[in-house]
Amino acid sequence: MKKSSDGFLIGRVKSFRYAFKGAFLLITTEHSVITQSLLAVILIISGFLFHITKTEWLFQVLVIGLVLSIEGLNTAVEKLCDFIHSDYHNRIGFIKDIAAGAVTFAALTPVVVVLIIYSPYIYEKVF
């Protein structure tokens, strides 16, 4: 096993650089992440417009992070599967479907949270 000659601090800086590069690649190349990011911006703007509470902000930020994280992991699984077996294969398809299913669960969570947060504000404005 090769030991890294980088110190702790340099190693952390490199880790952050790789992480930000990955986040940038996700946001600029993956349509699903671009869409989710735009929805996140809409939610953030809505939070300011409706003056949501600190607790509501916490839940909103958590579900935004949840969806973007799971979407990123799904993208990584898909890219890895395509790299390993570029032709269609039932097992690879199954793996990719399972990863997409995880995204579905993660994407439904903010729908519920958004309804819980914004319904009272919208109801108050309309009625």
Side-chain angles (χ1 to χ4, degrees), residues 73-89 91-99:
L73 290 173
N74 179 53
T75 299
V77 167
E78 287 182 356
K79 300 290 185 194
L80 183 59
C81 286
D82 291 344
F83 177 75
I84 291 170
H85 205 293
S86 58
D87 296 330
Y88 178 79
H89 190 279
R91 287 185 180 169
I92 295 293
F94 180 80
I95 292 166
K96 291 169 84 171
D97 288 346
I98 295 293

Side-chain angles (χ1 to χ4, degrees), residues 24-99:
F24 178 78
L25 288 171
L26 276 169
I27 291 172
T28 58
T29 63
E30 295 302 316
H31 296 290
S32 57
V33 176
I34 293 167
T35 302
Q36 299 294 352
S37 296
L38 290 174
L39 290 171
V41 169
I42 291 168
L43 283 179
I44 291 167
I45 292 168
S46 297
F48 285 114
L49 291 175
F50 285 99
H51 304 286
I52 63 176
T53 67
K54 279 185 187 179
T55 304
E56 292 166 336
W57 272 111
L58 289 172
F59 281 105
Q60 183 166 287
V61 169
L62 282 171
V63 295
I64 289 169
L66 169 76
V67 171
L68 291 174
S69 298
I70 299 297
E71 197 72 67
L73 290 173
N74 179 53
T75 299
V77 167
E78 287 182 356
K79 300 290 185 194
L80 183 59
C81 286
D82 291 344
F83 177 75
I84 291 170
H85 205 293
S86 58
D87 296 330
Y88 178 79
H89 190 279
N90 285 336
R91 287 185 180 169
I92 295 293
F94 180 80
I95 292 166
K96 291 169 84 171
D97 288 346
I98 295 293

